[in-house]
Amino acid sequence: MANMILDKINKVYPNGVHAVHDFSIDIRDGEFIAFVGPSGCGKSTTLRMIAGLEEISGGDLLLEGKRINDLAPKDRDVAMVFQSYALYPHMTVYHNMAFSLMLRREDPDVIHEKVLEAARILSLEEYLNRKPRELSGGQRQRVALGRAIVRNPKIFLMDEPLSNLDAKLRVQMRSELIKLHKRMNATTVYVTHDQVEAMTMASRIVVMSMGYVQQIGTPKEVYDYPDNMFVAGFIGAPPMNFLKGRADNGTFIVGSTRLAIPGDKYTLLADKGYAGKELVLGVRPEDIHVEGEVMDRHKGAKVSIVVEVAELLGKNVIVYSSIEGKQILADLSTKHEIEMESTIDICLDMDRVHFFDDSTTERIR
Ligand code: ADP
């Protein structure tokens, strides 16, 4: 397995669409990297440039220190797994996996060994003589993975490989892929629009929007310390709430609502010149509370709200409400029943809120 560097990679399509801008990342040996972002943000384009299926318009692509921009896909030592697994319907599972090696005229004994090894890794041993139509969706996806594994590539590239599976199977395959990665420790680049997939599978996530990398970090870094409002709003479900207001004299002011800002946080805002200025407060739904220790610690950050909708999710309840006319969602853990249209006191965990610059949308830090 191997490391790969993308150094200011750009893609301009012939029709003039600048799909990827200065994409840079140093992918380390054995990492599982997920590119995540809404449809059209440039994830697949970047992956296809790595695979050699799309020309690179600018920048350098290095595999183990060697520039491979101009190498043909077959010479790149990468293997791609697509969302449509595109198995050969008339071939058995065995031959589907063996086919690319047979084309390369590898030794039949070696091919046999590699196919059996991949089948073992993927628990496909009993299905080797079946045709794809005799397999479930999950098994077919595993055969598609097997075809990549037998090639023993330096890097695995996966483009939404689970998006054709139903919800339950997707969750199951997700954990299988995680286990597979643990076992093989193969450097993997994985494209998904599903932030839960990215968060649960990747060692690091690249969050993209409109052709630009917004942030690169571990799932926890990106979740706890989003660089800007796009990342803050994209990662996490239900999403982070944003309230526009003004910070003054240790208080965040939204209309007639006042929230006391902890000393160190306010000092930072003041030092950065934000005192008295418009800015945006971001609070995750789970950082809103109705009882317990946070409520005592942040007495100055209480707000009365009217419960518009309460969705009971077993242990938690998602409350839809508003503060000064702006919708907010609270993910409340409570033993008490929350009734629709009732008025309740909530409290924001002000130690965990973020502040963002209103014009640049960057997190203030
Ligand atoms: P994602 O994978 O994040 O959904 P893509 O990489 O497929 O996004 O697309 C990024 C942008 O490039 C989009 O605006 C898309 O319309 C455009 N695009 C993709 N493929 C082509 C193409 N072959 N020609 C022109 N524009 C394209």
Side-chain angles (χ1 to χ4, degrees), residues 126-137:
E126 1 168 354
Y127 305 105
L128 287 171
N129 292 322
R130 289 206 195 170
K131 299 271 174 66
R133 64 166 185 280
E134 298 164 318
L135 301 175
S136 70

Side-chain angles (χ1 to χ4, degrees), residues 1-3 29-30 63-64 152-156 184-188:
M1 285 299 151
N3 80 302
D29 192 16
L63 182 59
E64 292 188 312
N152 194 23
K154 293 217 164 84
I155 308 230
F156 282 98
M184 300 189 49
N185 215 16
T187 311
T188 304

Side-chain angles (χ1 to χ4, degrees), residues 13 29 45 62 67 84 105 115 128-129 146 149 159 162 178 185 196 224 236 241 274 286 294 299 308 310 331 346:
Y13 280 109
D29 192 16
T45 300
L62 306 166
R67 188 173 185 275
S84 59
R105 301 190 185 287
V115 171
L128 287 171
N129 292 322
I149 290 172
D159 193 353
L162 308 185
I178 295 169
N185 215 16
V196 177
D224 286 342
N241 300 292
Y274 287 97
E286 68 269 28
V294 175
K299 290 200 174 69
E308 288 157 18
D331 181 347
I346 57 164

Side-chain angles (χ1 to χ4, degrees), residues 13 15 17 19 38-45:
Y13 280 109
N15 65 358
V17 172
S39 174
C41 70
K43 309 178 291 291
S44 297
T45 300

